[in-house]
Amino acid sequence: MSATPRFLGLALHWQILIALFLGGLFGYFAHESVEYVAWMGKLFLRGLKMVIVPLILSSIISGITNLGTGDNLGRLGTKTILYYLSTSVLAIFTGLLFVNVIRPGVGAELGFEQSVGEVDATQVGFSETLLRIVPENVFKAFGTGDMLSIIFFAIIFGFFITKVKDNKQQDALINFFNGAFDVMMKITMFIILFTPFGVFGIVAEVVAEQAGNNDALLAVGGRLGKYMITVLLALFVHAFVILPLYIRIVAKANPWRHLQAMRSALLMAFSTSSSSATLPMSMHSVENGSGVSNKISSFTLPLGATINMDGTALYECVAAMFIAQAYGINLGVGDQLLVVATALLASIGAAGIPMAGLVMITVILTAVGLPLEGVGLILAVDRILDMCRTTVNVWSDSCGAVIIAKTEGETLKV
Ligand code: ASP
């Protein structure tokens, strides 16, 4: 399987970049005719969603059966969770630092009616979230795409395949899931070939929506500009300083080579604003580009796409602090630590879909006692921030795969 499918001799990331640019132009200048191209984006996203559940299932089961003993699974699980938690916490503190230094919300005239209506504060308690990892009905979990339950079931299923006594039955199961994974990767590769068209459609639609929304454009120039810059600067430092250092120091790997291998996946994360939709491409890039084994990537990436969201965690923290500043509420150290803790939980709980992080801010606002209407303050610029934080989310997952693969003694291409 080639690392990047080519079209007219161009590598995939160039194709995506061109599509991003052309989609932007189309959306801006021809926003009335956007419906003629938006279907391409929709069709592409449907294709990706179609493969996600069977891809994760076959990939995790075949990965786990290759792990061998339960000890390996325990070690890998602990490392992965530790990596995810530590980078998310680092990301939040980076955001906290920037928002305290730049103070984008201080003196901001609210100038908006404090009635955004009901913000959907759908909050499920933390223990309830943990309970829900175990599905009552696994087929329902497949049907609704409930990622954590699917991952949980796949791990259990793969693990108990290794406990089957009859060798013939065990081999048959292992071969079946290895084969199924192979087929799913081939289907994924086929869908990935259409990425430029999908990206063109998605970006044209997003830009057309924003072009009709003068509020967003004005907001960027006005008081929200400083808030955006704070989020973007902090994301930049996390993605280009902290995570590369992590890769260098812990994994002794080359972060820039890894970045190159991930180009297409990151551009896709940027265009789709969805870690879940990018998952098939991330798995492809991490395995074929960076050389991480399926054993590691099949475990770390689906889990990462669901619970490891550094970009979202950072954004949650900056946004909540910005809202507090804008309302003139001074948060002390204790309250800021509460923001840190709840931002972590909110990022773990956010789904890998567009705008999921925006809804989760209500969790922090409620915990700290800030007005829920504050979410209305940041709505206008959320879409562009969503694109950027999703890119960082996917980047961090992929760095995790590299770090864990290296510490497991794998020889990589980066
Ligand atoms: N869109 C993000 C993602 O899929 C989640 C968020 O809204 O922060 O990773």
Side-chain angles (χ1 to χ4, degrees):
M1 202 186 287
S2 71
T4 46
R6 285 172 181 270
F7 178 71
L8 297 176
L10 277 178
L12 185 63
H13 57 274
W14 287 117
Q15 300 173 34
I16 302 178
L17 259 181
I18 294 170
L20 247 168
F21 179 70
L22 293 180
L25 285 183
F26 190 98
Y28 190 77
F29 291 108
H31 48 93
E32 269 116 40
S33 334
V34 81
E35 81 238 42
Y36 297 114
V37 298
W39 65 271
M40 290 196 278
K42 296 202 172 93
L43 192 61
F44 176 63
L45 286 177
R46 290 185 78 94
L48 287 170
K49 287 184 187 150
M50 172 183 86
V51 293
I52 288 173
V53 172
L55 177 68
I56 293 186
L57 193 69
S58 57
S59 143
I60 294 186
I61 294 179
S62 85
I64 297 282
T65 52
N66 292 332
L67 271 180
T69 68
D71 289 352
N72 281 344
L73 179 60
R75 197 186 55 244
L76 202 63
T78 315
K79 268 194 216 174
T80 309
I81 302 283
L82 276 182
Y83 168 84
Y84 286 161
L85 289 182
S86 63
T87 55
S88 295
V89 170
L90 276 175
I92 297 174
F93 275 106
T94 309
L96 193 64
L97 179 76
F98 276 88
V99 79
N100 273 308
V101 171
I102 302 179
R103 297 161 71 81
V106 173
E109 286 157 37
L110 287 181
F112 75 109
E113 306 203 348
Q114 298 192 5
S115 59
V116 184
E118 298 143 44
V119 179
D120 183 17
T122 36
Q123 293 166 38
V124 188
F126 189 57
S127 52
E128 177 72 16
T129 312
L130 284 181
L131 268 183
R132 282 196 191 172
I133 293 178
V134 181
E136 275 178 350
N137 176 347
V138 66
F139 294 101
K140 197 166 152 212
F142 292 152
T144 51
D146 187 348
M147 286 309 167
L148 282 183
S149 301
I150 298 174
I151 293 172
F152 175 78
F153 180 75
I155 292 176
I156 298 273
F157 197 87
F159 178 72
F160 282 101
I161 288 181
T162 65
K163 301 285 174 221
V164 170
K165 285 278 172 335
D166 183 320
N167 279 348
K168 249 164 94 189
Q169 287 178 357
Q170 193 183 58
D171 288 348
L173 283 166
I174 294 179
N175 284 336
F176 172 79
F177 283 102
N178 282 343
F181 173 60
D182 218 33
V183 174
M184 288 319 301
M185 266 323 240
K186 287 206 159 58
I187 300 179
T188 302
M189 277 300 301
F190 177 69
I191 295 171
I192 284 175
L193 284 178
F194 298 94
T195 309
F197 299 99
V199 165
F200 178 80
I202 296 168
V203 174
E205 195 180 8
V206 171
V207 172
E209 269 165 19
Q210 300 292 329
N213 170 9
N214 286 331
D215 282 1
L217 298 177
L218 288 176
V220 177
R223 61 175 188 274
L224 280 184
K226 222 165 155 191
Y227 158 71
M228 272 182 84
I229 290 173
T230 313
V231 176
L232 294 178
L233 264 181
L235 283 177
F236 183 87
V237 169
H238 185 71
F240 292 106
V241 180
I242 296 177
L243 290 176
L245 274 177
Y246 223 123
I247 293 202
R248 258 267 183 264
I249 295 168
V250 183
K252 313 225 166 2
N254 185 329
W256 308 119
R257 281 229 288 274
H258 175 52
L259 185 65
Q260 282 191 342
M262 290 301 296
R263 280 178 300 204
S264 300
L266 296 180
L267 285 171
M268 186 152 154
F270 183 77
S271 341
T272 59
S273 294
S274 168
S275 313
S276 295
T278 312
L279 183 61
M281 176 75 113
S282 321
M283 288 182 62
H284 170 74
S285 302
V286 164
E287 287 178 23
N288 294 279
S290 302
V292 174
S293 70
N294 171 250
K295 194 171 83 181
I296 305 283
S297 77
S298 71
F299 183 77
T300 52
L301 291 180
L303 200 61
T306 317
I307 64 166
N308 181 46
M309 299 197 177
D310 289 10
T312 301
L314 183 157
Y315 152 87
E316 300 282 336
C317 172
V318 176
M321 292 294 296
F322 172 73
I323 292 170
Q325 290 172 355
Y327 276 97
I329 300 170
N330 208 353
L331 296 183
V333 177
D335 279 335
Q336 295 206 13
L337 288 179
L338 190 60
V339 170
V340 170
T342 42
L344 181 66
L345 293 183
S347 73
I348 293 175
I353 53 172
M355 313 280 268
L358 186 72
V359 180
M360 293 308 279
I361 289 186
T362 54
V363 175
I364 311 179
L365 298 183
T366 313
V368 191
L370 292 168
L372 289 186
E373 290 83 3
V375 173
L377 263 182
I378 53 174
L379 269 179
V381 291
D382 194 68
R383 184 68 211 210
I384 178 78
L385 293 181
D386 196 5
M387 297 166 93
C388 301
R389 66 184 185 249
T390 307
T391 313
V392 177
N393 291 345
V394 169
W395 171 233
S396 167
D397 297 342
S398 77
C399 292
V402 163
I403 289 174
I404 288 155
K406 275 277 185 169
T407 58
E408 287 288 301
E410 290 192 358
T411 319
L412 306 184
K413 296 183 195 161
V414 294

